[in-house]
Coordinates of all heavy atoms in Angstrom, one line a residue:
K58 N 49.4 45.5 -39.7 CA 49.2 46.5 -38.6 C 50.2 47.7 -38.6 O 49.8 48.7 -38.1 CB 49.4 45.8 -37.2 CG 48.4 44.6 -37.2 CD 46.9 45.0 -37.3 CE 46.0 43.8 -37.0 NZ 44.7 44.1 -37.3
E59 N 51.3 47.5 -39.2 CA 52.3 48.7 -39.2 C 52.9 48.8 -40.7 O 54.0 48.2 -40.9 CB 53.4 48.4 -38.3 CG 54.4 49.6 -38.2 CD 55.4 49.4 -37.1 OE1 55.4 48.3 -36.4 OE2 56.3 50.3 -36.9
R90 N 58.8 41.7 -44.4 CA 57.9 40.9 -43.7 C 56.4 41.2 -44.1 O 55.6 40.3 -44.3 CB 58.1 41.1 -42.2 CG 59.4 40.4 -41.7 CD 59.6 40.8 -40.3 NE 58.6 40.6 -39.4 CZ 58.4 39.4 -38.7 NH1 59.2 38.5 -38.9 NH2 57.4 39.3 -37.9
K134 N 63.9 41.4 -34.0 CA 63.0 40.8 -33.0 C 61.7 40.6 -33.5 O 61.1 41.5 -34.1 CB 63.0 41.7 -31.8 CG 64.5 42.0 -31.2 CD 64.5 43.1 -30.2 CE 65.8 43.3 -29.6 NZ 65.9 44.6 -28.9
P135 N 61.0 39.5 -33.3 CA 59.6 39.2 -33.8 C 58.6 40.2 -33.0 O 58.8 40.5 -31.9 CB 59.4 37.7 -33.5 CG 60.4 37.5 -32.3 CD 61.5 38.3 -32.5
K136 N 57.6 40.6 -33.7 CA 56.6 41.3 -33.1 C 55.7 40.5 -32.2 O 55.7 39.3 -32.4 CB 55.8 42.0 -34.2 CG 56.6 42.8 -35.2 CD 55.7 43.6 -36.1 CE 54.9 44.6 -35.5 NZ 54.2 45.5 -36.5
D137 N 55.1 41.1 -31.3 CA 54.3 40.4 -30.3 C 52.8 40.4 -30.8 O 52.3 41.4 -31.3 CB 54.3 41.1 -28.9 CG 55.7 40.9 -28.3 OD1 56.4 39.9 -28.6 OD2 56.2 41.8 -27.6
V138 N 52.2 39.3 -30.5 CA 50.7 39.3 -30.7 C 50.0 39.6 -29.4 O 50.3 38.9 -28.3 CB 50.3 37.8 -31.1 CG1 48.8 37.7 -31.3 CG2 51.0 37.4 -32.4
T139 N 49.2 40.6 -29.4 CA 48.6 41.0 -28.1 C 47.4 40.1 -27.7 O 46.9 39.4 -28.5 CB 48.1 42.5 -28.3 OG1 47.0 42.4 -29.2 CG2 49.1 43.5 -28.8
F140 N 47.1 40.2 -26.5 CA 45.9 39.4 -25.9 C 44.7 39.8 -26.6 O 43.8 38.9 -26.9 CB 45.8 39.8 -24.4 CG 44.6 39.0 -23.8 CD1 44.7 37.6 -23.6 CD2 43.5 39.7 -23.5 CE1 43.6 37.0 -23.0 CE2 42.4 39.1 -22.8 CZ 42.4 37.7 -22.6
E141 N 44.5 41.1 -27.0 CA 43.2 41.5 -27.7 C 43.2 40.9 -29.1 O 42.1 40.5 -29.6 CB 43.3 43.0 -27.7 CG 42.9 43.8 -26.4 CD 44.2 43.7 -25.5 OE1 45.3 43.5 -26.0 OE2 44.0 44.0 -24.4
M142 N 44.3 40.8 -29.7 CA 44.4 40.2 -31.1 C 44.0 38.7 -31.1 O 43.3 38.2 -31.9 CB 45.8 40.3 -31.7 CG 46.1 41.8 -32.0 SD 47.9 42.1 -32.4 CE 48.1 41.1 -33.9
K143 N 44.5 38.0 -30.0 CA 44.2 36.6 -29.8 C 42.7 36.5 -29.5 O 42.0 35.6 -30.1 CB 45.0 36.0 -28.7 CG 46.4 35.9 -28.9 CD 47.2 35.5 -27.6 CE 48.7 35.4 -27.8 NZ 49.4 35.1 -26.6
L188 N 51.2 30.2 -31.5 CA 51.4 30.6 -32.8 C 52.4 31.7 -32.9 O 52.5 32.6 -32.1 CB 50.1 31.2 -33.4 CG 48.9 30.2 -33.7 CD1 47.7 30.9 -34.1 CD2 49.3 29.2 -34.7
D189 N 53.4 31.5 -33.9 CA 54.4 32.5 -34.1 C 53.7 33.7 -34.8 O 52.6 33.6 -35.4 CB 55.6 32.1 -34.9 CG 55.3 31.4 -36.2 OD1 54.6 32.2 -37.0 OD2 55.7 30.3 -36.5
Y190 N 54.3 34.8 -34.9 CA 53.7 36.1 -35.3 C 53.2 35.9 -36.8 O 52.1 36.2 -37.1 CB 54.6 37.2 -35.3 CG 54.0 38.6 -35.8 CD1 53.1 39.3 -35.0 CD2 54.4 39.0 -37.1 CE1 52.6 40.4 -35.5 CE2 53.8 40.2 -37.5 CZ 52.9 40.9 -36.8 OH 52.3 42.1 -37.3
D191 N 54.1 35.4 -37.7 CA 53.8 35.3 -39.1 C 52.6 34.4 -39.3 O 51.7 34.7 -40.2 CB 55.0 34.8 -39.9 CG 56.1 35.9 -40.1 OD1 55.8 37.0 -39.7 OD2 57.1 35.6 -40.5
F193 N 50.3 33.5 -37.1 CA 49.1 34.2 -36.5 C 48.5 35.2 -37.6 O 47.3 35.1 -37.8 CB 49.5 35.0 -35.3 CG 48.3 35.7 -34.7 CD1 47.5 35.1 -33.7 CD2 47.9 36.9 -35.1 CE1 46.4 35.7 -33.2 CE2 46.9 37.6 -34.5 CZ 46.1 37.0 -33.6
V194 N 49.3 36.0 -38.2 CA 48.9 36.9 -39.3 C 48.1 36.3 -40.4 O 47.1 36.6 -40.9 CB 50.0 37.8 -39.8 CG1 49.5 38.7 -40.8 CG2 50.5 38.7 -38.6

Side-chain angles (χ1 to χ4, degrees):
K58 303 301 182 184
E59 187 180 357
R90 286 167 58 84
K134 297 168 185 172
K136 300 184 70 168
D137 293 326
V138 177
T139 66
F140 177 72
E141 289 74 16
M142 291 166 67
K143 293 175 185 177
L188 289 175
D189 59 53
Y190 179 77
D191 287 351
F193 180 91
V194 172

